[in-house]
Amino acid sequence: MRLLVMGGTWFLGRHIVEMALARGWEVTTFNRGRSGRNADGVEAVRGDRTNLNDLKRLAGHGTWNAVIDTSSSELPPRDVLAAATALRPAAHRWVHISTVSVYEGWPHKPLTDASPLLDCPADADESYGYTGPDGSPTQYGFQKAGGERAVTELFGDAAVLLRPGVILGPGEYVGRLPWWLERAKRGGRILAPAPAEQRIQPVDVRDVAAFALDQAAGSANGGFNITHPEGITFRGFLEACLAETGGAGAPVWVGPAVLTEQGVKQWTELPLWRTHAGVWAVDSSHATAAGLQCRPLADTIRDTWLWWAGDGRPVDHPRWAEHGIAPEKEAKILASL
């Protein structure tokens, strides 16, 4: 099996590469070499995926049984289209890492793989789309939907579209789980979003990587929602963070009305907290039937803490600074209760 990974040096891409090598596959990576070190044993091709000459040069290293694209998150559809066009003669399949944000109903409505998608042309530039007044839909969602269309137009029945919600685990660059782990370690009274029994559906990066590799080697096509089928309650999530870090903390469960009144930003200041009805109602039964296996999220929390306490943050990323409530703001809210 010959695999091309677009990206491949950090978080999901890194796990995909390492797992593919462990399976005995031949792996080529394509990246600029700025965000991390390539794994030993890969054929590393340096280049800019927005540069057509670099893409043509990359195609000369083929052919591959499949491409797994982990590096299109910030790219407009036209750049995804250009890469898919350049690599189509050199690759049989394309596994595209997308997002649940491509759905019209995200995050307000429960979703299945058959839910309507946002509409965006395959050749759209970065200006296409808009973000609604309540924060949805998002321009990001439009852009990712256009990227999906670009891949599907070029690869047809050989295109696989993976739509994860939140990915956590060792190597996380966004900082959601590391922030909660650090907060648990600090202890004391912890501002926690009620209801405590709200189930959340993040998925382990290693489980996403394994499923992506299975799809690269398989024959399925189309879209798959990638969320944890069982999830974990927020209470269970925080209890696991406290247990792993040894923090002597006590969650103080505060309802959404109070948190909103106090100006707490959803999704970022209290990572993973969001009140929209559909945010944790994404059905992944199609992926589960196709072989997605998700480990208990308590294991994800444990392994992330082992990584975080040992190696720390892998790369600098602008989204890291968005996450976590300032200690002074948290203390002020807790004191007002």
Side-chain angles (χ1 to χ4, degrees), residues 4-310:
L4 169 63
V5 179
M6 304 290 279
T9 60
W10 50 308
F11 201 37
L12 177 58
R14 181 75 178 200
H15 284 285
I16 286 172
V17 167
E18 291 178 348
M19 286 185 179
L21 291 170
R23 293 185 182 195
W25 294 8
E26 296 179 37
V27 181
T28 302
T29 59
F30 180 68
N31 54 66
R32 295 175 298 176
R34 298 177 182 175
S35 300
R37 183 182 62 83
N38 280 291
D40 294 336
V42 305
E43 177 191 25
V45 181
R46 294 278 189 246
D48 183 344
R49 60 174 297 163
T50 65
N51 184 301
L52 186 57
N53 289 331
D54 286 357
L55 290 170
K56 290 179 178 178
R57 177 170 52 83
L58 171 63
H61 290 258
T63 59
W64 298 279
N65 299 98
V67 176
I68 300 181
D69 187 0
T70 69
S71 68
S72 67
S73 178
E74 307 301 326
L75 296 178
R78 66 179 180 185
D79 286 339
V80 178
L81 181 64
T85 301
L87 295 173
R88 186 63 184 98
H92 299 298
R93 290 174 63 75
W94 189 291
V95 179
H96 194 68
I97 307 302
S98 186
T99 170
V100 292
S101 296
V102 298
Y103 289 110
E104 285 183 3
W106 170 260
H108 298 286
K109 300 177 181 179
L111 298 172
T112 71
D113 302 280
S115 297
L117 302 175
L118 296 170
D119 186 30
C120 179
D123 60 353
D125 65 17
E126 60 275 3
S127 68
Y128 192 91
Y130 62 92
T131 296
D134 66 345
S136 65
T138 62
Q139 188 173 41
Y140 172 74
F142 279 103
Q143 295 275 310
K144 292 295 282 184
E148 286 193 3
R149 179 173 289 182
V151 171
T152 302
E153 285 186 2
L154 265 298
F155 280 81
D157 290 342
V160 181
L161 312 167
L162 304 189
R163 297 169 181 147
V166 173
I167 303 176
L168 303 178
E172 184 198 336
Y173 63 85
V174 175
R176 295 184 177 105
L177 180 48
W179 184 85
W180 276 115
L181 287 164
E182 282 294 331
R183 181 62 194 89
K185 180 183 178 183
R186 195 166 80 240
R189 299 173 76 215
I190 300 173
L191 184 65
E197 302 312 313
Q198 169 67 55
R199 300 198 77 82
I200 59 177
Q201 296 179 286
V203 65
D204 191 291
V205 62
R206 295 162 293 184
D207 299 330
V208 181
F211 187 71
L213 290 172
D214 290 345
Q215 296 311 305
S219 59
N221 61 77
F224 292 92
N225 293 336
I226 309 297
T227 57
H228 201 292
E230 287 126 24
I232 190 172
T233 65
F234 228 114
R235 184 191 303 279
F237 176 82
L238 287 187
E239 287 177 349
C241 289
L242 288 163
E244 293 300 333
T245 61
V252 179
W253 298 98
V254 180
V258 174
L259 292 175
T260 301
E261 180 183 334
Q262 294 287 343
V264 178
K265 296 177 183 176
Q266 296 190 39
W267 210 237
T268 53
E269 285 194 302
L270 290 181
L272 306 179
W273 169 60
R274 202 168 184 179
T275 59
H276 301 80
V279 69
W280 299 121
V282 180
D283 177 58
S284 60
S285 58
H286 181 44
T288 301
L292 173 66
Q293 297 183 24
C294 292
R295 71 197 69 203
L297 282 162
D299 292 354
T300 304
I301 293 167
R302 177 198 64 212
D303 294 345
T304 302
W305 177 244
L306 290 173
W307 159 74
W308 179 245

